[in-house]
C-alpha cells in the first residue's frame, strides 16, 4: 500500500489541526503512525512537496524519522505519459481563465479611475480576484503536477485537499484520499495492520 | 506523405500573400497543388482549424474541391498520450505567465490613477501587454492542440507559422514545415511526384 502526500496535510490550517497545533507537531503525529506501519505501508513525497513541507517545520525535531518513513522520489517525467484529453481540457480551462483574468484587470483599472485615493485597496482586490480567476481549482504548479505523476507512476493513493489536484486525480484514474480524513485512515490502518506480518 | 494544415497558411497576411491576395484566393491556389498531388500526398485539417478557415473564405468558391482535397479529421484524444515532461513544462510556463499577467494588470491600475483622462488608451495597452504575457508563443487554444495531436496520431508534418505550435511540435518529435515556405514545398512536390505512379 502506497500513499503520495501533499503539503496540505501538514500546512493547511483547516486540515493540519487534525494532526497538531503547528506544522512540526503535525509531521510528528504523522510520523508516529508511519513508524507503526513501517514495512506495511509506504509514504512518498516528490521533491518539490518535500521542500515546501521542510520550509514550514523545525527540521531538527523530525529528523531522522522523516528521512526513514517518508520516501523522497521525483516522478519519471521522461517515461510517463498523460492522456491527451486531460491536456486538452487543461488548455481549454486555462484559456477561459486567461480571458477572465483580463476582465478582472480591466474592471480594476476602471474602478481605480473613479476612486483614485483607494488604489492600494483596489490592487489588493485585483490580486484576490485574479488569483481566484487564474489559479483556484487548477493544477498550476510543477509541485502539484509532480504529486499527480508520482501517484500515477507508483499506482499509489494521493492524499491532498487541493481541488485542482483531486480533480486531475479523478480524471486520470488515480486513487485518492482527502487530507481531512487522512488521520482516520491512518488510525484504521494501524488497527488493521499492526502486529501482522504482511 | 501527410500534412496537417494550420489556418496561418490561408489567413495570416504575411504568410498568405505567397498563395493569394485574400483567404479565398489562397485556398484556391493551395487546392490547385492538392489536385495535382491527389493520391500521392494527403492534406488534413482538424475540425476547429477547418471552421476557422471557412470563416474567412467564400465557401461556394472552393467547394467541393476543399472537401475532396482536404481531409477533415479530429485527433483521437482518448487514445493519444502526451509525454509528461511536455505537460510539466507547459504548467511551469503558464505559471510564470500568470504571474506576469498580474504585474501587467497592477501596472495598468497604477498608471490609470495618474492619468484618469486616458483610461481607454490604458485599457488598450493593458490588453496588448496582457495578451503578450499570457498568450504569445504558447499553445493556448484547443484548435492549436488538435493540430499537434492530429500530426502526432498520423505521423504527419505540421504546417504552421505559430511559434507556440512549432515549439510543441519540436518537443514532441513531430515533423514540421514553416507556413512561409509551404508554397515552395508544394511546388517541389508537384515537380518530383507529378505523373509518377506511387
Amino acid at each position: 500500500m502506497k500513499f503520495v502526500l501533499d503539503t496540505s496535510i501538514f500546512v493547511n490550517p483547516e486540515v493540519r489541526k487534525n494532526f497538531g497545533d503547528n506544522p512540526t507537531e503535525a509531521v510528528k503525529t504523522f510520523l508516529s503512525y508511519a513508524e507503526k506501519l513501517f514495512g506495511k505501508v509506504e509514504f512518498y513525497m516528490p521533491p518539490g512537496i518535500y521542500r515546501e513541507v521542510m520550509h514550514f517545520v523545525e527540521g531538527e525535531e523530525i529528523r531522522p524519522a522523516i528521512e526513514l518513513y517518508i520516501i523522497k522520489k521525483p516522478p519519471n517525467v521522461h517515461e510517463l505519459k498523460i492522456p491527451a484529453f486531460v491536456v486538452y481540457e487543461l488548455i481549454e480551462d486555462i484559456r477561459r481563465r486567461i480571458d477572465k483574468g483580463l476582465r478582472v484587470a480591466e474592471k480594476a483599472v476602471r474602478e481605480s479611475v473613479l476612486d483614485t485615493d483607494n488604489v492600494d485597496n483596489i490592487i489588493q482586490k485585483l490580486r484576490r480576484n485574479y488569483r481566484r480567476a487564474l489559479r483556484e481549482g487548477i493544477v498550476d504548479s510543477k509541485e502539484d503536477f509532480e504529486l499527480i505523476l508520482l501517484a500515477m507512476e507508483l499506482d499509489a493513493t494521493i492524499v491532498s485537499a487541493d481541488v485542482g489536484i483531486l480533480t486531475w486525480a479523478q480524471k486520470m484514474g488515480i486513487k485518492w484520499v482527502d487530507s481531512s480524513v487522512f488521520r482516520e485512515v491512518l488510525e484504521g490502518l494501524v488497527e488493521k495492520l499492526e502486529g501482522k506480518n504482511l
Side-chain angles (χ1 to χ4, degrees), chain A:
Chain A
M1 202 179 286
K2 293 172 182 173
F3 290 94
V4 177
L5 310 178
D6 188 11
T7 42
S8 58
I9 308 163
F10 310 113
V11 171
N12 175 327
E14 264 312 290
V15 177
R16 191 212 60 219
K17 67 179 199 285
N18 297 329
F19 282 92
D21 288 339
N22 57 57
T24 305
E25 288 306 313
V27 172
K28 279 183 169 174
T29 305
F30 165 76
L31 290 172
S32 69
Y33 288 106
E35 188 182 359
K36 292 177 192 159
L37 293 166
F38 186 75
K40 289 153 194 150
V41 181
E42 288 177 349
F43 300 98
Y44 289 83
M45 270 187 199
I49 298 289
Y50 177 78
R51 268 195 302 276
E52 263 181 47
V53 171
M54 292 312 280
H55 176 74
F56 284 98
V57 300
E58 306 293 332
E60 63 273 25
E61 294 199 37
I62 55 171
R63 285 204 190 89
I66 193 169
E67 301 292 329
L68 182 59
Y69 300 126
I70 294 181
I71 303 168
K72 302 194 296 284
K73 177 179 158 28
N76 188 341
V77 293
H78 294 282
E79 291 289 334
L80 291 167
K81 299 200 175 243
I82 311 293
F85 83 91
V86 175
V87 184
Y88 190 89
E89 288 180 9
L90 173 71
I91 287 172
E92 255 193 287
D93 187 20
I94 288 169
R95 173 63 175 272
R96 272 195 302 268
R97 287 166 181 268
I98 288 174
D99 291 346
K100 200 166 169 198
L102 180 59
R103 290 198 298 275
V104 165
E106 289 183 12
K107 197 169 158 225
V109 169
R110 297 211 182 269
E111 275 177 22
S112 66
V113 173
L114 301 176
D115 191 5
T116 52
D117 294 334
N118 233 336
V119 61
D120 289 328
N121 283 339
I122 288 168
I123 284 191
Q124 288 305 323
K125 199 172 87 180
L126 163 64
R127 288 181 186 159
R128 273 199 310 278
N129 289 342
Y130 185 84
R131 197 192 138 78
R132 195 168 299 143
L134 270 294
R135 299 194 46 200
E136 261 183 33
I138 196 173
V139 171
D140 75 332
S141 72
K142 57 191 171 96
E143 289 76 14
D144 290 359
F145 189 54
E146 279 184 339
L147 199 74
I148 292 164
L149 291 175
L150 188 58
M152 192 180 163
E153 179 178 336
L154 300 169
D155 191 21
T157 300
I158 283 189
V159 187
S160 179
D162 184 287
V163 176
I165 292 172
L166 296 181
T167 305
W168 264 53
Q170 290 175 25
K171 279 185 199 184
M172 291 175 58
I174 294 171
K175 294 169 280 187
W176 93 99
V177 164
D178 199 287
S179 302
S180 62
V181 296
F182 188 46
R183 185 161 184 173
E184 285 97 315
V185 171
L186 291 169
E187 287 278 1
L189 287 171
V190 168
E191 202 177 292
K192 303 278 181 204
L193 301 179
E194 208 179 18
K196 287 196 186 158
N197 288 314
L198 295 185

